[in-house]
Amino acid sequence: MSEAAKWYVIHTYSGYENKVAQNIEKVVENRKLHDLIQEVRVPTEKVTEITDGKTKEIERKTYPGYVLVKMIVTDDSWYVVRNTRGCTGFVGPASEPTPLSEQEVKSLFGIDVSSSVEVNFKVGDRVQISGTAMDGFIGVVQNINLDERSVDLLVSMFGRETPTTLPISQVVTVED
């Protein structure tokens, strides 16, 4: 076989991505199709969530409802993927397997290195400071810098508006 394996996108029922990937890998193992179906991935990213001043790292699906498969398309490999429970077909015109371009593959797998941060407040929201000398003070969010994981606030102290920069983990949303 001189043909090189390419990446394809499979559409699945939402929430079945991991199950579809496991089932494909199991069939590949049982039928010894490693040369045809070389890799199966569910695209995920690590995200730091900050809620109520607590930081936790979670892994979430980048593209819910999709699984990536590196394979050589033959009747056998097409049959295995298409008849996997939870799989609705290939992404492409008329559900025909359409390989991803090299640019698409680079953008999918080349950016996994950085992790992002999610916050539950936005510019203009009122937040409360916790875990610093200004504990309990209320401020208005002026800017959120996710790269540096900091937030710029305008805090009212002793009748004056005072700008301050704090780590995101020391800011809690105020319930109105």
Side-chain angles (χ1 to χ4, degrees):
M1 262 177 223
S2 60
E3 191 179 341
K6 295 184 180 161
W7 285 98
Y8 296 88
V9 180
I10 302 169
H11 190 265
T12 68
Y13 295 125
S14 189
Y16 281 76
E17 300 89 352
N18 293 335
K19 191 71 173 159
V20 167
Q22 288 171 351
N23 288 343
I24 291 172
E25 288 169 346
K26 196 180 295 180
V27 171
V28 166
E29 190 70 35
N30 291 342
R31 293 189 184 177
K32 305 208 182 331
L33 297 173
H34 300 287
D35 56 329
L36 294 178
I37 300 175
Q38 299 173 358
E39 197 173 342
V40 182
R41 282 195 188 183
V42 178
T44 59
E45 64 181 346
K46 287 193 187 296
V47 177
T48 305
E49 258 187 9
I50 299 173
T51 27
D52 298 331
K54 293 181 179 74
T55 306
K56 68 178 172 182
E57 190 113 336
I58 62 166
E59 194 167 359
R60 73 169 177 209
K61 293 175 182 72
T62 312
Y63 303 104
Y66 297 97
V67 174
L68 301 172
V69 179
K70 185 176 184 181
M71 64 186 242
I72 298 171
V73 177
T74 64
D75 289 342
D76 288 340
S77 63
W78 185 90
Y79 181 84
V80 166
V81 172
R82 187 65 187 94
N83 290 306
T84 300
R85 181 181 222 148
C87 174
T88 59
F90 285 93
V91 173
S95 289
E96 287 296 316
T98 307
L100 294 174
S101 68
E102 288 200 24
Q103 184 73 26
E104 291 168 324
V105 172
K106 281 181 186 171
S107 69
L108 281 171
F109 300 124
I111 305 177
D112 307 14
V113 180
S114 67
S115 65
S116 58
V117 177
E118 268 187 19
V119 292
N120 59 349
F121 51 84
K122 60 186 180 310
V123 173
D125 283 358
R126 291 171 23 110
V127 294
Q128 183 174 352
I129 300 171
S130 70
T132 70
M134 296 187 290
D135 208 2
F137 280 93
I138 304 291
V140 178
V141 177
Q142 300 297 306
N143 184 32
I144 301 170
N145 189 338
L146 296 177
D147 294 334
E148 295 179 12
R149 297 178 188 222
S150 66
V151 61
D152 296 332
L153 301 175
L154 203 53
V155 182
S156 181
M157 294 176 21
F158 311 113
R160 288 190 149 159
E161 298 291 319
T162 307
T164 186
T165 302
L166 293 169
I168 289 176
S169 60
Q170 294 180 335
V171 175
V172 181
T173 330
V174 174
E175 300 296 326
D176 289 326

